[in-house]
Amino acid sequence: MQLATWAHDLAESLLAESLPKRWAHSKRVYSQALTLAPALGEDAELLAAAAIAHDVGYAQAAVDTKQHMIDGARYLRDVVGADPRLCSLVAFHTSSPWEASELGLTEALAEFGPAEPDLVDAITFCDLTSSPTGALVDPGERLAEVLERYGAEHVVYRAVSAARPELLAMVDRVKQRRAEAEGWALS
């Protein structure tokens, strides 16, 4: 867990004091990632590291484009020299492609591609099952909360609205893979 420990320390230094709710959320996303370890094999540590660091783009030191996924990935790549796969997972998590399209940042997102679909599904599952305050939450409720928080005129609202069916499909795919790894199928 060396990579995950490094990412934890970095994310804590950027979020814990200045953005305590983001830090609480990130810690839950991390704990959700740990539950997926049996389904991920050798990529379990990479997911754990990406989970704890997925929102570092909100930290003042990282803000550039104002799209936190790209900003976090650039900070990880350019400032701390993180593993390219880690940067990619941070860049592509949750509704990032839809938000990047809304903001005209598709080329900036492409700096971190190609995305690894199974791992993007996994980090999105972890994000969408973690509330803004760090509680476990139903993914549908989490998406409804995001839409309510941002309002119809905001880019995040438009991106999440467009992405919602695919985001829920990502969650379902992860649940299925986790069930298969645990030796039972969802009915």
Side-chain angles (χ1 to χ4, degrees), residues 105-119:
L105 294 171
T106 302
E107 286 185 31
L109 181 60
E111 295 172 19
F112 301 97
E116 295 181 61
D118 288 347
L119 290 174

Side-chain angles (χ1 to χ4, degrees), residues 29-82:
V29 175
Y30 172 77
S31 70
Q32 287 294 89
L34 295 179
T35 71
L36 299 179
L40 292 173
E42 63 186 39
D43 286 330
E45 183 172 7
L46 175 63
L47 179 66
I52 197 69
H54 82 287
D55 274 352
V56 299
Y58 283 111
Q60 188 60 42
V63 173
D64 178 29
T65 68
K66 298 198 177 18
Q67 204 259 35
H68 82 276
M69 298 91 150
I70 293 171
D71 290 349
R74 283 183 171 171
Y75 183 88
L76 291 168
R77 179 191 65 198
D78 300 342
V79 177
V80 298

Side-chain angles (χ1 to χ4, degrees), residues 43 90 109 148 178:
D43 286 330
V90 169
L109 181 60
E148 183 178 319
R178 182 170 63 182

Side-chain angles (χ1 to χ4, degrees), residues 79-94:
V79 177
V80 298
D83 177 276
R85 291 179 73 210
L86 172 64
C87 298
S88 180
L89 282 175
V90 169
F92 282 96
H93 81 270
T94 316

Side-chain angles (χ1 to χ4, degrees), residues 17-42:
E17 284 188 34
S18 60
L19 299 166
K21 285 185 181 178
R22 285 274 168 221
W23 179 235
H25 167 72
S26 295
K27 290 189 296 184
R28 173 59 71 179
V29 175
Y30 172 77
S31 70
Q32 287 294 89
L34 295 179
T35 71
L36 299 179
L40 292 173
E42 63 186 39

